[in-house]
Amino acid sequence: ETGVTQSPTHLIKTRGQQVTLRCSSQSGHNTVSWYQQALGQGPQFIFQYYREEENGRGNFPPRFSGLQFPNYSSELNVNALELDDSALYLCASSFGGSRTGELFFGEGSRLTVL
Amino acid sequence: KQEVTQIPAALSVPEGENLVLNCSFTDSAIYNLQWFRQDPGKGLTSLLLIQSSQREQTSGRLNASLDKSSGRSTLYIAASQPGDSATYLCAESNAGGTSYGKLTFGQGTILTVHP
């Protein structure tokens, strides 16, 4: 069974740039959720994708957007990067739509914005 | 707005001790509660998940309990080992509304088990 994989593992951007982070869900899972974890904090929910549509969103501005593909993999896009966007971005996969079952997380993508 | 609080923020114990990590939540319509382990700079590893209809779950040396009426969950670790050193996070999901797929996390308890 393949776990959740994320890429890239680390990246550095400058303010105003755009970034795309990628996630492959665990085998058999059709739902992907994205979380932002600032240093020393718990993860914060960004949004969830199910059947290629956004299915729930946290308190994040529209410059955070995403996609889910037919193979259930997903992308997180962040435009107009700000210094506060520096964080560990975690992807989690699960099975099911509107109900949260057990979530399985990837190792994360560490974004540094200079 | 759901909130999750974890106490203590940090805990240091000698090897072999039994310990309890606490998690409290304000959500009156919890769907499930999940405990995770996070090693420095790494992702989250799921330890235990308790559905709202359950009172506890056990896996090896770990036991998690859930008391919805008081808004509390505890994670009990028996016979702690240095390899248990990590940050432990609890997270709850809401049973309905527009919170589909959203876990609300606490800030974590940093556990250090010294030999």
Side-chain angles (χ1 to χ4, degrees), chain A residues 33 35 37 41-43 45 48 55-56 88 90 98-103 105-107, chain B residues 31-32 34 36 38 42-44 46 49 93 95-96 100-103 105-107:
Chain A
S33 304
Y35 288 80
Q37 186 178 25
Q41 303 294 316
F45 175 73
Q48 181 192 50
N55 181 34
L88 180 67
L90 295 163
S98 61
R99 291 302 192 191
T100 300
E102 187 171 8
L103 264 61
F105 283 80
E107 290 295 307
Chain B
Y31 179 67
N32 65 34
Q34 200 164 351
F36 295 90
Q38 186 173 33
K42 300 294 186 181
L44 307 183
S46 177
L49 179 144
S93 67
Y100 301 144
K102 173 183 177 181
L103 288 182
F105 281 84
Q107 291 194 314

PDB file of all heavy atoms in Angstrom, chain A residues 33 35 37 41-43 45 48 55-56 88 90 98-103 105-107, chain B residues 31-32 34 36 38 42-44 46 49 93 95-96 100-103 105-107:
ATOM      1  N   SER A  33      -7.098  16.571   1.855  1.00  0.00           N
ATOM      2  CA  SER A  33      -7.203  17.800   2.643  1.00  0.00           C
ATOM      3  C   SER A  33      -5.821  18.425   2.760  1.00  0.00           C
ATOM      4  O   SER A  33      -4.820  17.707   2.824  1.00  0.00           O
ATOM      5  CB  SER A  33      -7.743  17.503   4.047  1.00  0.00           C
ATOM      6  OG  SER A  33      -8.982  16.835   3.983  1.00  0.00           O
ATOM      7  N   TYR A  35      -3.390  21.272   4.914  1.00  0.00           N
ATOM      8  CA  TYR A  35      -3.235  21.979   6.176  1.00  0.00           C
ATOM      9  C   TYR A  35      -1.943  22.799   6.142  1.00  0.00           C
ATOM     10  O   TYR A  35      -0.963  22.407   5.507  1.00  0.00           O
ATOM     11  CB  TYR A  35      -3.162  20.990   7.352  1.00  0.00           C
ATOM     12  CG  TYR A  35      -4.479  20.329   7.665  1.00  0.00           C
ATOM     13  CD1 TYR A  35      -4.937  19.251   6.913  1.00  0.00           C
ATOM     14  CD2 TYR A  35      -5.274  20.788   8.706  1.00  0.00           C
ATOM     15  CE1 TYR A  35      -6.152  18.647   7.190  1.00  0.00           C
ATOM     16  CE2 TYR A  35      -6.493  20.194   8.997  1.00  0.00           C
ATOM     17  CZ  TYR A  35      -6.919  19.129   8.234  1.00  0.00           C
ATOM     18  OH  TYR A  35      -8.135  18.538   8.506  1.00  0.00           O
ATOM     19  N   GLN A  37       0.904  24.403   8.741  1.00  0.00           N
ATOM     20  CA  GLN A  37       1.405  24.338  10.111  1.00  0.00           C
ATOM     21  C   GLN A  37       2.565  25.306  10.282  1.00  0.00           C
ATOM     22  O   GLN A  37       3.674  25.059   9.789  1.00  0.00           O
ATOM     23  CB  GLN A  37       1.839  22.913  10.477  1.00  0.00           C
ATOM     24  CG  GLN A  37       2.221  22.776  11.942  1.00  0.00           C
ATOM     25  CD  GLN A  37       2.606  21.357  12.329  1.00  0.00           C
ATOM     26  OE1 GLN A  37       3.039  20.577  11.488  1.00  0.00           O
ATOM     27  NE2 GLN A  37       2.446  21.011  13.599  1.00  0.00           N
ATOM     28  N   GLN A  41       3.045  25.523  16.125  1.00  0.00           N
ATOM     29  CA  GLN A  41       1.579  25.549  16.168  1.00  0.00           C
ATOM     30  C   GLN A  41       0.997  24.233  15.669  1.00  0.00           C
ATOM     31  O   GLN A  41       1.681  23.429  15.034  1.00  0.00           O
ATOM     32  CB  GLN A  41       1.054  26.688  15.287  1.00  0.00           C
ATOM     33  CG  GLN A  41       1.583  28.070  15.643  1.00  0.00           C
ATOM     34  CD  GLN A  41       1.114  28.520  16.994  1.00  0.00           C
ATOM     35  OE1 GLN A  41      -0.058  28.374  17.348  1.00  0.00           O
ATOM     36  NE2 GLN A  41       2.023  29.064  17.792  1.00  0.00           N
ATOM     37  N   GLY A  42      -0.283  24.025  15.962  1.00  0.00           N
ATOM     38  CA  GLY A  42      -0.978  22.899  15.366  1.00  0.00           C
ATOM     39  C   GLY A  42      -1.362  23.221  13.932  1.00  0.00           C
ATOM     40  O   GLY A  42      -1.447  24.392  13.553  1.00  0.00           O
ATOM     41  N   PRO A  43      -1.583  22.212  13.112  1.00  0.00           N
ATOM     42  CA  PRO A  43      -1.995  22.459  11.720  1.00  0.00           C
ATOM     43  C   PRO A  43      -3.335  23.179  11.645  1.00  0.00           C
ATOM     44  O   PRO A  43      -4.216  22.969  12.477  1.00  0.00           O
ATOM     45  CB  PRO A  43      -2.104  21.041  11.141  1.00  0.00           C
ATOM     46  CG  PRO A  43      -1.229  20.191  12.015  1.00  0.00           C
ATOM     47  CD  PRO A  43      -1.371  20.783  13.387  1.00  0.00           C
ATOM     48  N   PHE A  45      -6.564  23.959   9.007  1.00  0.00           N
ATOM     49  CA  PHE A  45      -7.247  23.444   7.819  1.00  0.00           C
ATOM     50  C   PHE A  45      -7.334  24.522   6.750  1.00  0.00           C
ATOM     51  O   PHE A  45      -7.807  25.622   7.012  1.00  0.00           O
ATOM     52  CB  PHE A  45      -8.638  22.974   8.220  1.00  0.00           C
ATOM     53  CG  PHE A  45      -9.521  22.516   7.089  1.00  0.00           C
ATOM     54  CD1 PHE A  45      -9.282  21.307   6.457  1.00  0.00           C
ATOM     55  CD2 PHE A  45     -10.594  23.281   6.690  1.00  0.00           C
ATOM     56  CE1 PHE A  45     -10.113  20.868   5.433  1.00  0.00           C
ATOM     57  CE2 PHE A  45     -11.431  22.853   5.671  1.00  0.00           C
ATOM     58  CZ  PHE A  45     -11.190  21.648   5.042  1.00  0.00           C
ATOM     59  N   GLN A  48     -10.485  21.057   1.563  1.00  0.00           N
ATOM     60  CA  GLN A  48     -10.571  19.640   1.236  1.00  0.00           C
ATOM     61  C   GLN A  48     -11.106  19.496  -0.192  1.00  0.00           C
ATOM     62  O   GLN A  48     -11.957  20.289  -0.626  1.00  0.00           O
ATOM     63  CB  GLN A  48     -11.515  18.916   2.195  1.00  0.00           C
ATOM     64  CG  GLN A  48     -11.647  17.423   1.930  1.00  0.00           C
ATOM     65  CD  GLN A  48     -12.792  16.790   2.691  1.00  0.00           C
ATOM     66  OE1 GLN A  48     -13.914  17.270   2.666  1.00  0.00           O
ATOM     67  NE2 GLN A  48     -12.516  15.704   3.387  1.00  0.00           N
ATOM     68  N   ASN A  55     -14.528  20.943  -1.196  1.00  0.00           N
ATOM     69  CA  ASN A  55     -15.612  20.450  -0.335  1.00  0.00           C
ATOM     70  C   ASN A  55     -15.328  20.865   1.099  1.00  0.00           C
ATOM     71  O   ASN A  55     -15.094  20.042   1.965  1.00  0.00           O
ATOM     72  CB  ASN A  55     -15.691  18.924  -0.476  1.00  0.00           C
ATOM     73  CG  ASN A  55     -16.800  18.335   0.359  1.00  0.00           C
ATOM     74  OD1 ASN A  55     -17.838  18.940   0.550  1.00  0.00           O
ATOM     75  ND2 ASN A  55     -16.566  17.136   0.877  1.00  0.00           N
ATOM     76  N   GLY A  56     -15.321  22.142   1.334  1.00  0.00           N
ATOM     77  CA  GLY A  56     -15.009  22.656   2.665  1.00  0.00           C
ATOM     78  C   GLY A  56     -13.741  23.476   2.623  1.00  0.00           C
ATOM     79  O   GLY A  56     -12.751  23.085   2.003  1.00  0.00           O
ATOM     80  N   LEU A  88       5.025  24.666   7.206  1.00  0.00           N
ATOM     81  CA  LEU A  88       4.999  23.291   6.698  1.00  0.00           C
ATOM     82  C   LEU A  88       3.595  23.052   6.153  1.00  0.00           C
ATOM     83  O   LEU A  88       2.606  23.250   6.870  1.00  0.00           O
ATOM     84  CB  LEU A  88       5.314  22.302   7.826  1.00  0.00           C
ATOM     85  CG  LEU A  88       5.330  20.820   7.466  1.00  0.00           C
ATOM     86  CD1 LEU A  88       6.492  20.501   6.521  1.00  0.00           C
ATOM     87  CD2 LEU A  88       5.431  19.965   8.730  1.00  0.00           C
ATOM     88  N   LEU A  90       0.919  20.455   4.862  1.00  0.00           N
ATOM     89  CA  LEU A  90       0.646  19.035   5.005  1.00  0.00           C
ATOM     90  C   LEU A  90      -0.563  18.637   4.172  1.00  0.00           C
ATOM     91  O   LEU A  90      -1.578  19.336   4.150  1.00  0.00           O
ATOM     92  CB  LEU A  90       0.372  18.693   6.470  1.00  0.00           C
ATOM     93  CG  LEU A  90       1.545  18.887   7.422  1.00  0.00           C
ATOM     94  CD1 LEU A  90       1.055  18.927   8.869  1.00  0.00           C
ATOM     95  CD2 LEU A  90       2.564  17.774   7.249  1.00  0.00           C
ATOM     96  N   SER A  98     -18.268  13.637   2.677  1.00  0.00           N
ATOM     97  CA  SER A  98     -18.611  14.664   3.643  1.00  0.00           C
ATOM     98  C   SER A  98     -18.269  14.302   5.080  1.00  0.00           C
ATOM     99  O   SER A  98     -18.273  15.165   5.925  1.00  0.00           O
ATOM    100  CB  SER A  98     -20.107  14.962   3.556  1.00  0.00           C
ATOM    101  OG  SER A  98     -20.848  13.804   3.857  1.00  0.00           O
ATOM    102  N   ARG A  99     -17.965  13.083   5.336  1.00  0.00           N
ATOM    103  CA  ARG A  99     -17.611  12.688   6.696  1.00  0.00           C
ATOM    104  C   ARG A  99     -16.106  12.457   6.812  1.00  0.00           C
ATOM    105  O   ARG A  99     -15.510  11.849   5.954  1.00  0.00           O
ATOM    106  CB  ARG A  99     -18.344  11.415   7.103  1.00  0.00           C
ATOM    107  CG  ARG A  99     -19.826  11.611   7.280  1.00  0.00           C
ATOM    108  CD  ARG A  99     -20.130  12.661   8.302  1.00  0.00           C
ATOM    109  NE  ARG A  99     -21.548  12.664   8.670  1.00  0.00           N
ATOM    110  CZ  ARG A  99     -22.120  13.612   9.385  1.00  0.00           C
ATOM    111  NH1 ARG A  99     -21.406  14.624   9.821  1.00  0.00           N
ATOM    112  NH2 ARG A  99     -23.394  13.540   9.677  1.00  0.00           N
ATOM    113  N   THR A 100     -15.550  12.954   7.868  1.00  0.00           N
ATOM    114  CA  THR A 100     -14.111  12.772   8.068  1.00  0.00           C
ATOM    115  C   THR A 100     -13.850  11.460   8.765  1.00  0.00           C
ATOM    116  O   THR A 100     -14.180  11.270   9.916  1.00  0.00           O
ATOM    117  CB  THR A 100     -13.539  13.920   8.906  1.00  0.00           C
ATOM    118  OG1 THR A 100     -13.764  15.137   8.233  1.00  0.00           O
ATOM    119  CG2 THR A 100     -12.057  13.738   9.113  1.00  0.00           C
ATOM    120  N   GLY A 101     -13.266  10.578   8.033  1.00  0.00           N
ATOM    121  CA  GLY A 101     -12.794   9.364   8.664  1.00  0.00           C
ATOM    122  C   GLY A 101     -11.370   9.582   9.128  1.00  0.00           C
ATOM    123  O   GLY A 101     -10.937  10.680   9.360  1.00  0.00           O
ATOM    124  N   GLU A 102     -10.639   8.547   9.258  1.00  0.00           N
ATOM    125  CA  GLU A 102      -9.257   8.679   9.704  1.00  0.00           C
ATOM    126  C   GLU A 102      -8.422   9.321   8.601  1.00  0.00           C
ATOM    127  O   GLU A 102      -8.520   8.932   7.429  1.00  0.00           O
ATOM    128  CB  GLU A 102      -8.683   7.318  10.064  1.00  0.00           C
ATOM    129  CG  GLU A 102      -7.310   7.373  10.703  1.00  0.00           C
ATOM    130  CD  GLU A 102      -6.876   6.022  11.238  1.00  0.00           C
ATOM    131  OE1 GLU A 102      -7.571   5.026  10.980  1.00  0.00           O
ATOM    132  OE2 GLU A 102      -5.833   5.966  11.911  1.00  0.00           O
ATOM    133  N   LEU A 103      -7.632  10.302   8.969  1.00  0.00           N
ATOM    134  CA  LEU A 103      -6.767  10.981   8.011  1.00  0.00           C
ATOM    135  C   LEU A 103      -5.355  10.438   8.091  1.00  0.00           C
ATOM    136  O   LEU A 103      -4.838  10.170   9.180  1.00  0.00           O
ATOM    137  CB  LEU A 103      -6.740  12.489   8.293  1.00  0.00           C
ATOM    138  CG  LEU A 103      -7.697  13.351   7.465  1.00  0.00           C
ATOM    139  CD1 LEU A 103      -9.129  12.953   7.705  1.00  0.00           C
ATOM    140  CD2 LEU A 103      -7.473  14.822   7.739  1.00  0.00           C
ATOM    141  N   PHE A 105      -1.492  11.413   6.843  1.00  0.00           N
ATOM    142  CA  PHE A 105      -0.738  12.580   6.410  1.00  0.00           C
ATOM    143  C   PHE A 105       0.556  12.193   5.690  1.00  0.00           C
ATOM    144  O   PHE A 105       1.168  11.164   5.983  1.00  0.00           O
ATOM    145  CB  PHE A 105      -0.384  13.459   7.610  1.00  0.00           C
ATOM    146  CG  PHE A 105      -1.523  14.293   8.110  1.00  0.00           C
ATOM    147  CD1 PHE A 105      -2.511  13.746   8.921  1.00  0.00           C
ATOM    148  CD2 PHE A 105      -1.617  15.637   7.771  1.00  0.00           C
ATOM    149  CE1 PHE A 105      -3.566  14.506   9.375  1.00  0.00           C
ATOM    150  CE2 PHE A 105      -2.669  16.421   8.222  1.00  0.00           C
ATOM    151  CZ  PHE A 105      -3.645  15.852   9.023  1.00  0.00           C
ATOM    152  N   GLY A 106       0.961  13.088   4.784  1.00  0.00           N
ATOM    153  CA  GLY A 106       2.268  12.984   4.161  1.00  0.00           C
ATOM    154  C   GLY A 106       3.321  13.652   5.036  1.00  0.00           C
ATOM    155  O   GLY A 106       3.025  14.144   6.127  1.00  0.00           O
ATOM    156  N   GLU A 107       4.563  13.674   4.543  1.00  0.00           N
ATOM    157  CA  GLU A 107       5.672  14.243   5.300  1.00  0.00           C
ATOM    158  C   GLU A 107       5.727  15.764   5.212  1.00  0.00           C
ATOM    159  O   GLU A 107       6.464  16.395   5.939  1.00  0.00           O
ATOM    160  CB  GLU A 107       6.993  13.647   4.806  1.00  0.00           C
ATOM    161  CG  GLU A 107       7.190  12.181   5.162  1.00  0.00           C
ATOM    162  CD  GLU A 107       7.295  11.986   6.660  1.00  0.00           C
ATOM    163  OE1 GLU A 107       8.124  12.670   7.292  1.00  0.00           O
ATOM    164  OE2 GLU A 107       6.540  11.154   7.204  1.00  0.00           O
TER     165      GLU A 107
ATOM    166  N   TYR B  31     -17.549  14.574  15.928  1.00  0.00           N
ATOM    167  CA  TYR B  31     -17.760  13.363  15.145  1.00  0.00           C
ATOM    168  C   TYR B  31     -16.717  12.303  15.512  1.00  0.00           C
ATOM    169  O   TYR B  31     -17.040  11.152  15.729  1.00  0.00           O
ATOM    170  CB  TYR B  31     -17.679  13.674  13.659  1.00  0.00           C
ATOM    171  CG  TYR B  31     -17.857  12.473  12.766  1.00  0.00           C
ATOM    172  CD1 TYR B  31     -19.081  11.818  12.697  1.00  0.00           C
ATOM    173  CD2 TYR B  31     -16.807  11.983  11.998  1.00  0.00           C
ATOM    174  CE1 TYR B  31     -19.252  10.704  11.875  1.00  0.00           C
ATOM    175  CE2 TYR B  31     -16.966  10.881  11.182  1.00  0.00           C
ATOM    176  CZ  TYR B  31     -18.197  10.257  11.121  1.00  0.00           C
ATOM    177  OH  TYR B  31     -18.354   9.154  10.314  1.00  0.00           O
ATOM    178  N   ASN B  32     -15.456  12.709  15.541  1.00  0.00           N
ATOM    179  CA  ASN B  32     -14.435  11.819  16.049  1.00  0.00           C
ATOM    180  C   ASN B  32     -13.260  12.627  16.581  1.00  0.00           C
ATOM    181  O   ASN B  32     -13.187  13.845  16.390  1.00  0.00           O
ATOM    182  CB  ASN B  32     -13.967  10.795  14.998  1.00  0.00           C
ATOM    183  CG  ASN B  32     -13.269  11.417  13.806  1.00  0.00           C
ATOM    184  OD1 ASN B  32     -12.573  12.412  13.930  1.00  0.00           O
ATOM    185  ND2 ASN B  32     -13.444  10.828  12.643  1.00  0.00           N
ATOM    186  N   GLN B  34      -8.949  12.341  16.983  1.00  0.00           N
ATOM    187  CA  GLN B  34      -7.798  11.582  16.519  1.00  0.00           C
ATOM    188  C   GLN B  34      -6.540  12.080  17.241  1.00  0.00           C
ATOM    189  O   GLN B  34      -6.355  13.294  17.410  1.00  0.00           O
ATOM    190  CB  GLN B  34      -7.649  11.741  14.994  1.00  0.00           C
ATOM    191  CG  GLN B  34      -6.839  10.685  14.308  1.00  0.00           C
ATOM    192  CD  GLN B  34      -7.058  10.700  12.777  1.00  0.00           C
ATOM    193  OE1 GLN B  34      -7.925  11.373  12.253  1.00  0.00           O
ATOM    194  NE2 GLN B  34      -6.242   9.930  12.082  1.00  0.00           N
ATOM    195  N   PHE B  36      -2.353  12.157  17.086  1.00  0.00           N
ATOM    196  CA  PHE B  36      -1.252  12.035  16.147  1.00  0.00           C
ATOM    197  C   PHE B  36       0.073  12.207  16.873  1.00  0.00           C
ATOM    198  O   PHE B  36       0.159  12.862  17.916  1.00  0.00           O
ATOM    199  CB  PHE B  36      -1.319  13.121  15.063  1.00  0.00           C
ATOM    200  CG  PHE B  36      -2.503  13.041  14.162  1.00  0.00           C
ATOM    201  CD1 PHE B  36      -3.678  13.707  14.483  1.00  0.00           C
ATOM    202  CD2 PHE B  36      -2.456  12.326  12.984  1.00  0.00           C
ATOM    203  CE1 PHE B  36      -4.780  13.648  13.641  1.00  0.00           C
ATOM    204  CE2 PHE B  36      -3.549  12.260  12.131  1.00  0.00           C
ATOM    205  CZ  PHE B  36      -4.710  12.931  12.471  1.00  0.00           C
ATOM    206  N   GLN B  38       4.042  13.590  15.964  1.00  0.00           N
ATOM    207  CA  GLN B  38       4.834  14.317  14.974  1.00  0.00           C
ATOM    208  C   GLN B  38       6.274  14.418  15.455  1.00  0.00           C
ATOM    209  O   GLN B  38       6.556  14.990  16.505  1.00  0.00           O
ATOM    210  CB  GLN B  38       4.261  15.720  14.721  1.00  0.00           C
ATOM    211  CG  GLN B  38       4.975  16.450  13.594  1.00  0.00           C
ATOM    212  CD  GLN B  38       4.310  17.769  13.235  1.00  0.00           C
ATOM    213  OE1 GLN B  38       3.752  18.451  14.090  1.00  0.00           O
ATOM    214  NE2 GLN B  38       4.360  18.140  11.945  1.00  0.00           N
ATOM    215  N   LYS B  42       8.738  16.651  10.583  1.00  0.00           N
ATOM    216  CA  LYS B  42       8.093  15.566   9.829  1.00  0.00           C
ATOM    217  C   LYS B  42       6.580  15.744   9.777  1.00  0.00           C
ATOM    218  O   LYS B  42       6.008  16.655  10.376  1.00  0.00           O
ATOM    219  CB  LYS B  42       8.430  14.215  10.483  1.00  0.00           C
ATOM    220  CG  LYS B  42       9.908  13.893  10.535  1.00  0.00           C
ATOM    221  CD  LYS B  42      10.487  13.694   9.153  1.00  0.00           C
ATOM    222  CE  LYS B  42      11.922  13.219   9.205  1.00  0.00           C
ATOM    223  NZ  LYS B  42      12.507  13.033   7.845  1.00  0.00           N
ATOM    224  N   GLY B  43       5.933  14.825   9.034  1.00  0.00           N
ATOM    225  CA  GLY B  43       4.485  14.826   8.971  1.00  0.00           C
ATOM    226  C   GLY B  43       3.869  14.197  10.206  1.00  0.00           C
ATOM    227  O   GLY B  43       4.547  13.934  11.195  1.00  0.00           O
ATOM    228  N   LEU B  44       2.567  13.974  10.136  1.00  0.00           N
ATOM    229  CA  LEU B  44       1.820  13.432  11.272  1.00  0.00           C
ATOM    230  C   LEU B  44       1.579  11.941  11.082  1.00  0.00           C
ATOM    231  O   LEU B  44       1.200  11.508   9.994  1.00  0.00           O
ATOM    232  CB  LEU B  44       0.473  14.142  11.405  1.00  0.00           C
ATOM    233  CG  LEU B  44       0.488  15.663  11.466  1.00  0.00           C
ATOM    234  CD1 LEU B  44      -0.918  16.193  11.665  1.00  0.00           C
ATOM    235  CD2 LEU B  44       1.399  16.144  12.565  1.00  0.00           C
ATOM    236  N   SER B  46      -0.788   8.928  12.439  1.00  0.00           N
ATOM    237  CA  SER B  46      -2.012   8.665  13.197  1.00  0.00           C
ATOM    238  C   SER B  46      -1.753   7.572  14.227  1.00  0.00           C
ATOM    239  O   SER B  46      -1.193   6.522  13.913  1.00  0.00           O
ATOM    240  CB  SER B  46      -3.122   8.227  12.240  1.00  0.00           C
ATOM    241  OG  SER B  46      -4.295   7.901  12.958  1.00  0.00           O
ATOM    242  N   LEU B  49      -7.823   6.704  16.696  1.00  0.00           N
ATOM    243  CA  LEU B  49      -9.013   7.462  16.345  1.00  0.00           C
ATOM    244  C   LEU B  49     -10.166   6.936  17.165  1.00  0.00           C
ATOM    245  O   LEU B  49     -10.368   5.713  17.251  1.00  0.00           O
ATOM    246  CB  LEU B  49      -9.321   7.331  14.851  1.00  0.00           C
ATOM    247  CG  LEU B  49     -10.567   8.068  14.357  1.00  0.00           C
ATOM    248  CD1 LEU B  49     -10.347   8.632  12.956  1.00  0.00           C
ATOM    249  CD2 LEU B  49     -11.787   7.164  14.344  1.00  0.00           C
ATOM    250  N   SER B  93     -13.020  16.402  14.739  1.00  0.00           N
ATOM    251  CA  SER B  93     -13.801  16.783  13.569  1.00  0.00           C
ATOM    252  C   SER B  93     -15.250  16.946  13.982  1.00  0.00           C
ATOM    253  O   SER B  93     -15.740  16.251  14.882  1.00  0.00           O
ATOM    254  CB  SER B  93     -13.675  15.741  12.456  1.00  0.00           C
ATOM    255  OG  SER B  93     -14.280  14.530  12.830  1.00  0.00           O
ATOM    256  N   ALA B  95     -19.416  17.097  13.504  1.00  0.00           N
ATOM    257  CA  ALA B  95     -20.358  16.133  12.945  1.00  0.00           C
ATOM    258  C   ALA B  95     -21.199  16.670  11.802  1.00  0.00           C
ATOM    259  O   ALA B  95     -21.892  15.919  11.141  1.00  0.00           O
ATOM    260  CB  ALA B  95     -21.280  15.621  14.045  1.00  0.00           C
ATOM    261  N   GLY B  96     -21.194  17.964  11.554  1.00  0.00           N
ATOM    262  CA  GLY B  96     -22.059  18.440  10.492  1.00  0.00           C
ATOM    263  C   GLY B  96     -21.760  19.855  10.090  1.00  0.00           C
ATOM    264  O   GLY B  96     -20.637  20.323  10.221  1.00  0.00           O
ATOM    265  N   TYR B 100     -17.061  20.104   6.675  1.00  0.00           N
ATOM    266  CA  TYR B 100     -16.694  18.830   6.092  1.00  0.00           C
ATOM    267  C   TYR B 100     -15.197  18.701   5.926  1.00  0.00           C
ATOM    268  O   TYR B 100     -14.551  19.541   5.336  1.00  0.00           O
ATOM    269  CB  TYR B 100     -17.352  18.677   4.721  1.00  0.00           C
ATOM    270  CG  TYR B 100     -18.854  18.745   4.740  1.00  0.00           C
ATOM    271  CD1 TYR B 100     -19.560  19.337   3.714  1.00  0.00           C
ATOM    272  CD2 TYR B 100     -19.568  18.219   5.800  1.00  0.00           C
ATOM    273  CE1 TYR B 100     -20.930  19.388   3.727  1.00  0.00           C
ATOM    274  CE2 TYR B 100     -20.945  18.269   5.826  1.00  0.00           C
ATOM    275  CZ  TYR B 100     -21.628  18.855   4.778  1.00  0.00           C
ATOM    276  OH  TYR B 100     -22.989  18.911   4.781  1.00  0.00           O
ATOM    277  N   GLY B 101     -14.664  17.614   6.429  1.00  0.00           N
ATOM    278  CA  GLY B 101     -13.253  17.332   6.216  1.00  0.00           C
ATOM    279  C   GLY B 101     -12.310  18.139   7.071  1.00  0.00           C
ATOM    280  O   GLY B 101     -11.100  18.003   6.956  1.00  0.00           O
ATOM    281  N   LYS B 102     -12.819  18.948   7.951  1.00  0.00           N
ATOM    282  CA  LYS B 102     -11.953  19.811   8.730  1.00  0.00           C
ATOM    283  C   LYS B 102     -11.637  19.194  10.082  1.00  0.00           C
ATOM    284  O   LYS B 102     -12.533  18.860  10.844  1.00  0.00           O
ATOM    285  CB  LYS B 102     -12.637  21.159   8.955  1.00  0.00           C
ATOM    286  CG  LYS B 102     -11.894  22.087   9.896  1.00  0.00           C
ATOM    287  CD  LYS B 102     -12.677  23.367  10.125  1.00  0.00           C
ATOM    288  CE  LYS B 102     -11.989  24.272  11.124  1.00  0.00           C
ATOM    289  NZ  LYS B 102     -12.770  25.513  11.349  1.00  0.00           N
ATOM    290  N   LEU B 103     -10.341  19.075  10.366  1.00  0.00           N
ATOM    291  CA  LEU B 103      -9.887  18.719  11.702  1.00  0.00           C
ATOM    292  C   LEU B 103      -9.443  19.991  12.391  1.00  0.00           C
ATOM    293  O   LEU B 103      -8.738  20.803  11.800  1.00  0.00           O
ATOM    294  CB  LEU B 103      -8.713  17.740  11.648  1.00  0.00           C
ATOM    295  CG  LEU B 103      -8.971  16.299  11.221  1.00  0.00           C
ATOM    296  CD1 LEU B 103      -7.684  15.490  11.293  1.00  0.00           C
ATOM    297  CD2 LEU B 103     -10.038  15.665  12.090  1.00  0.00           C
ATOM    298  N   PHE B 105      -7.113  21.206  15.349  1.00  0.00           N
ATOM    299  CA  PHE B 105      -5.988  20.679  16.121  1.00  0.00           C
ATOM    300  C   PHE B 105      -5.716  21.513  17.358  1.00  0.00           C
ATOM    301  O   PHE B 105      -5.923  22.740  17.380  1.00  0.00           O
ATOM    302  CB  PHE B 105      -4.709  20.692  15.272  1.00  0.00           C
ATOM    303  CG  PHE B 105      -4.598  19.566  14.283  1.00  0.00           C
ATOM    304  CD1 PHE B 105      -5.198  19.645  13.045  1.00  0.00           C
ATOM    305  CD2 PHE B 105      -3.869  18.422  14.604  1.00  0.00           C
ATOM    306  CE1 PHE B 105      -5.091  18.615  12.124  1.00  0.00           C
ATOM    307  CE2 PHE B 105      -3.751  17.390  13.683  1.00  0.00           C
ATOM    308  CZ  PHE B 105      -4.369  17.488  12.452  1.00  0.00           C
ATOM    309  N   GLY B 106      -5.195  20.847  18.386  1.00  0.00           N
ATOM    310  CA  GLY B 106      -4.564  21.548  19.485  1.00  0.00           C
ATOM    311  C   GLY B 106      -3.142  21.928  19.093  1.00  0.00           C
ATOM    312  O   GLY B 106      -2.674  21.586  17.999  1.00  0.00           O
ATOM    313  N   GLN B 107      -2.455  22.614  20.003  1.00  0.00           N
ATOM    314  CA  GLN B 107      -1.097  23.070  19.695  1.00  0.00           C
ATOM    315  C   GLN B 107      -0.047  22.009  19.989  1.00  0.00           C
ATOM    316  O   GLN B 107       1.113  22.187  19.635  1.00  0.00           O
ATOM    317  CB  GLN B 107      -0.779  24.351  20.462  1.00  0.00           C
ATOM    318  CG  GLN B 107      -1.576  25.548  19.965  1.00  0.00           C
ATOM    319  CD  GLN B 107      -1.021  26.851  20.478  1.00  0.00           C
ATOM    320  OE1 GLN B 107      -0.722  26.970  21.663  1.00  0.00           O
ATOM    321  NE2 GLN B 107      -0.877  27.833  19.604  1.00  0.00           N
TER     322      GLN B 107
END
